[in-house]
Amino acid sequence: HNSPKTMPPKVAQKSKAQKLLAAMGSSKAKGKKKKWAKQKVRDKKNNDVLFDPESFQKMLTAIPKMKTITIANVSERLHITGSLARRAIRECHKRGDISQVVQHQACMVYTKTKVEA
């Protein structure tokens, strides 16, 4: 079995001010603190929350012209929030302007309704 080791003599503890001073001094010696890679700052999207009559008409003409219609696409194109985009898609679908391709939980994919000649 190991024999008990004697602990080294206790060193007097530095005060908080001394520790702070020591830390400041050592960090200057090392050079500048390493920064994480610079990240691109994205501008806050100021999307509309409600339709005014003008933007409602714009929506009714723009959505049926799109090839793939998803919440993200509509939101991006018309600068509206996702929940408003969902309502807009639902409205166009109800009017028969667009037809549904995929319905899977939250991901709904629509396409423009083909016009028979």
Side-chain angles (χ1 to χ4, degrees), residues 27-117:
S27 65
K28 279 194 181 96
K30 286 180 197 162
K32 270 193 141 174
K33 188 171 178 263
K34 213 195 276 185
K35 292 269 198 297
W36 289 105
K38 284 266 185 279
Q39 291 180 329
K40 291 188 181 79
V41 178
R42 275 213 251 136
D43 293 330
K44 173 110 172 69
K45 286 195 168 78
N46 197 8
N47 289 346
D48 296 335
V49 187
L50 296 168
F51 281 126
D52 49 35
E54 189 183 302
S55 60
F56 186 75
Q57 287 308 314
K58 184 178 156 196
M59 174 273 291
L60 289 178
T61 54
I63 293 180
K65 288 179 187 162
M66 295 164 77
K67 192 176 169 80
T68 345
I69 302 161
T70 60
I71 296 162
N73 286 355
V74 174
S75 171
E76 191 69 31
R77 182 82 59 89
L78 299 174
H79 304 290
I80 57 176
T81 57
S83 53
L84 191 58
R86 274 199 302 276
R87 292 290 183 87
I89 291 171
R90 220 175 287 146
E91 180 64 33
C92 286
H93 183 62
K94 205 163 62 180
R95 288 169 180 244
D97 297 337
I98 59 176
S99 50
Q100 197 168 47
V101 182
V102 178
Q103 163 71 64
H104 178 265
Q105 285 178 328
C107 185
M108 301 178 299
V109 181
Y110 293 82
T111 190
K112 50 187 168 186
T113 305
K114 289 191 171 64
V115 179
E116 280 85 35

